[in-house]
């Protein structure tokens, strides 16, 4: 007890001495610094330095392509943790001369919900510059591969449907990810046998999206309405409302990225749409904090302060309506079941009913805008 009292007394003396010293020197105690915002981070770092990256040939076309991924499939299926290691493998395809082209790659599981719940988790691919040179995988960097979740036709349909949503996003803004639909055979490296062949799709690396915008990916969370460019933000939030997706946060970098430009603007980028109402996956749910309770119900999550930018964004979606619907009649759209195409286009019809007039936009969108 005495020893404890001595310790307390010593601490008090030290604090008293520090206070007295502050008075003697005339210095005021330092106030704790406020946490940095995304804008603060940009100011500290200076203008972003865009990477000089050539465009990957893989995304020069949207035509579906056949690939074979050979790896330790059983091991990859077990890699369900966020820190899973990179695994060795190869990706092979048939070249224009009819010969097989095989490229060494490394693969790593990724994701959040699908990582935990899918039989085959989504993965990321890494292609070394030297081995990819002169092939279709050249300059790919580290693209994501959206795989089938379960070996069922229904889940394969979800993959193709999600690829369509990326294609729609590309129609309305260049600040978006290119994708390439792949008929992918999964071969086990131990036996060499193909376990399954299903549709998957590759998503270009975020750095490629930033390169086209002449910016760099901002890796700090916290972007607010004041940090984001109103015009691109309006397009991004209108797109999310169009597809019925609420599972994203640009400020939290959840299913969203932010590109920083040298002129001070920050551009939001959308990705990962499997919880969208347009897909209506059986496993998809809605955050209890949302006002809607079903993924098929829409909730507008755009910023109220960007309201002036939305008429132009809505006009663009109206102008692109025929082009959007045409995607469901082309080579990729025909891979989706006719009944699903019908229900999806009907879902889009509801969007266009919601934005028919400025009063409709005000009533259906801005009653739930984020202040």
């Amino acid at each position: 007890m005495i020893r404890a009292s001595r310790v307390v007394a010593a601490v008090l003396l030290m604090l008293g001495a520090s206070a007295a010293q502050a008075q003697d020197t005339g210095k005021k105690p330092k106030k704790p610094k406020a946490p940095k915002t995304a804008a603060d981070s940009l100011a500290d770092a200076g203008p972003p330095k865009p990477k000089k990256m050539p465009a990957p040939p893989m995304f020069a076309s949207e035509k579906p392509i056949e690939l074979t991924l050979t790896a330790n499939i059983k091991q990859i299926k077990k890699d369900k943790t966020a820190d899973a290691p990179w695994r060795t493998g190869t990706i092979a395809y048939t070249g224009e001369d009819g010969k097989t082209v095989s490229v060494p790659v490394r693969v790593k599981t990724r994701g959040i919900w699908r990582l935990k719940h899918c039989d085959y988790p989504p993965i990321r691919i890494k292609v070394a510059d030297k081995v990819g040179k002169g092939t279709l995988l050249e300059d790919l960097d580290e693209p994501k591969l959206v795989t089938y979740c379960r070996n069922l036709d229904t889940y394969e349909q979800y993959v193709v449907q999600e690829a369509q949503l990326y294609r729609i996003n590309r129609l309305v803004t260049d600040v978006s990810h290119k994708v390439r639909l792949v008929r992918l055979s999964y071969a086990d490296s131990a036996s060499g046998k193909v376990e399954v062949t299903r549709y998957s799709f590759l998503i270009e690396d975020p750095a490629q999206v930033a390169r086209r915008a002449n910016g760099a990916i901002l890796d700090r969370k916290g972007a607010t309405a004041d940090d984001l460019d109103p015009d691109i933000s309006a397009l991004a939030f209108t797109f999310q409302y169009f597809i019925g997706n609420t599972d994203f946060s640009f400020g939290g970098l959840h299913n969203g990225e932010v590109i920083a430009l040298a002129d001070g603007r920050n551009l939001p980028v959308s990705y990962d749409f499997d919880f969208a109402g347009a897909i209506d996956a059986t496993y998809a749910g809605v955050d209890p904090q949302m006002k809607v309770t079903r993924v098929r119900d829409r909730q507008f999550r755009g910023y109220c302060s960007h309201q002036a930018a939305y008429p132009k964004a809505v006009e663009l979606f109206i102008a692109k309506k025929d082009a959007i619907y045409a995607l469901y009649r082309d080579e990729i759209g025909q891979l989706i079941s006719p009944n699903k195409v019908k229900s999806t286009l009907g879902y889009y019809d509801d969007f266009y009913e919601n934005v028919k007039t400025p009063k409709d936009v005000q009533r259906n969108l801005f009653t739930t805008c984020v202040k």
Side-chain angles (χ1 to χ4, degrees):
M1 191 73 179
I2 294 173
R3 183 177 297 175
S5 298
R6 288 176 177 173
V7 172
V8 172
V11 170
L12 290 173
L13 284 172
M14 291 173 63
L15 292 174
S18 298
Q21 187 179 6
Q23 289 179 351
D24 291 342
T25 58
K27 293 181 179 179
K28 293 182 180 180
K30 292 183 178 180
K31 293 182 179 180
K33 292 182 178 180
K36 288 186 176 183
T37 65
D40 293 331
S41 297
L42 287 176
D44 291 346
K49 297 179 180 179
K51 290 184 179 179
K52 293 182 179 180
M53 305 173 67
M58 177 64 75
F59 299 108
S61 169
E62 285 190 325
K63 185 177 178 63
I65 184 173
E66 293 187 2
L67 301 177
T68 298
L69 170 64
T70 302
N72 189 332
I73 304 298
K74 291 182 180 178
Q75 181 60 62
I76 290 174
K77 287 181 178 179
K78 294 177 182 178
D79 288 344
K80 298 283 188 173
T81 59
D83 59 349
W86 288 95
R87 307 289 183 183
T88 58
T90 61
I91 288 182
Y93 64 94
T94 302
E96 294 181 358
D97 58 0
K99 295 181 180 179
T100 299
V101 179
S102 184
V103 183
V105 299
R106 287 194 288 168
V107 296
K108 183 184 188 303
T109 56
R110 61 174 185 84
I112 300 176
W113 190 93
R114 284 187 271 199
L115 177 63
K116 297 178 181 178
H117 297 89
C118 289
D119 295 338
Y120 196 99
I123 62 177
R124 186 181 292 278
I125 297 170
K126 183 181 288 188
V127 185
D129 291 341
K130 290 183 179 180
V131 299
K133 191 172 183 179
T135 74
L136 197 57
L137 277 63
E138 184 174 2
D139 299 317
L140 270 186
D141 204 11
E142 295 183 18
K144 293 177 180 177
L145 177 68
V146 177
T147 58
Y148 70 93
C149 180
R150 295 179 183 173
N151 191 18
L152 299 169
D153 292 345
T154 302
Y155 283 82
E156 185 178 39
Q157 286 280 296
Y158 294 155
V159 170
V160 182
Q161 287 175 259
E162 187 177 5
Q164 285 288 75
L165 300 188
Y166 278 92
R167 297 177 73 208
I168 292 173
N169 202 22
R170 290 288 302 153
L171 281 178
V172 296
T173 177
D174 190 50
V175 187
S176 57
H177 290 269
K178 293 181 179 181
V179 297
R180 184 77 181 267
L181 194 67
V182 175
R183 185 68 174 166
L184 188 65
S185 295
Y186 299 81
D188 188 75
S189 55
S191 63
K193 293 182 179 179
V194 173
E195 290 194 353
V196 65
T197 299
R198 290 286 187 183
Y199 277 107
S200 303
F201 64 89
L202 286 162
I203 309 173
E204 69 176 342
D205 190 277
Q208 294 287 352
V209 185
R211 175 191 61 81
R212 284 198 303 277
N214 199 31
I217 295 293
L218 178 64
D219 60 3
R220 180 178 287 275
K221 298 179 181 180
T224 65
D226 292 337
D227 298 316
L228 298 177
D229 177 82
D231 292 330
I232 301 302
S233 181
L235 284 173
F237 282 108
T238 302
F239 169 73
Q240 297 283 15
Y241 181 77
F242 177 81
I243 67 173
N245 188 40
T246 59
D247 184 32
F248 69 95
S249 169
F250 296 120
L253 299 183
H254 171 63
N255 294 339
E257 299 150 344
V258 176
I259 296 174
L261 304 186
D263 61 9
R265 290 184 299 145
N266 302 310
L267 315 180
V269 185
S270 306
Y271 69 89
D272 202 347
F273 311 125
D274 66 313
F275 272 48
I279 296 178
D280 198 21
T282 54
Y283 59 76
V286 179
D287 190 318
Q289 296 181 15
M290 297 295 164
K291 292 186 178 182
V292 295
T293 57
R294 304 180 308 160
V295 295
R296 198 73 168 171
D297 296 330
R298 289 183 170 93
Q299 179 177 328
F300 181 69
R301 299 189 59 207
Y303 294 116
C304 302
S305 60
H306 292 169
Q307 188 166 354
Y310 278 91
K312 186 177 179 181
V314 171
E315 287 175 9
L316 179 60
F317 272 82
I318 293 173
K320 294 288 186 179
K321 180 179 179 180
D322 290 344
I324 291 171
Y325 282 38
L327 293 178
Y328 289 83
R329 297 190 296 270
D330 68 9
E331 182 179 7
I332 296 175
Q334 290 178 23
L335 297 174
I336 303 173
S337 70
N339 286 340
K340 193 61 187 177
V341 168
K342 182 179 179 180
S343 66
T344 301
L345 296 184
Y347 187 68
Y348 297 158
D349 287 340
D350 291 339
F351 165 85
Y352 286 108
E353 283 294 322
N354 288 345
V355 299
K356 258 188 173 181
T357 68
K359 287 185 178 180
D360 291 331
V361 173
Q362 183 65 39
R363 181 178 62 253
N364 295 319
L365 274 68
F366 283 96
T367 53
T368 60
C369 64
V370 179
K371 296 179 179 179

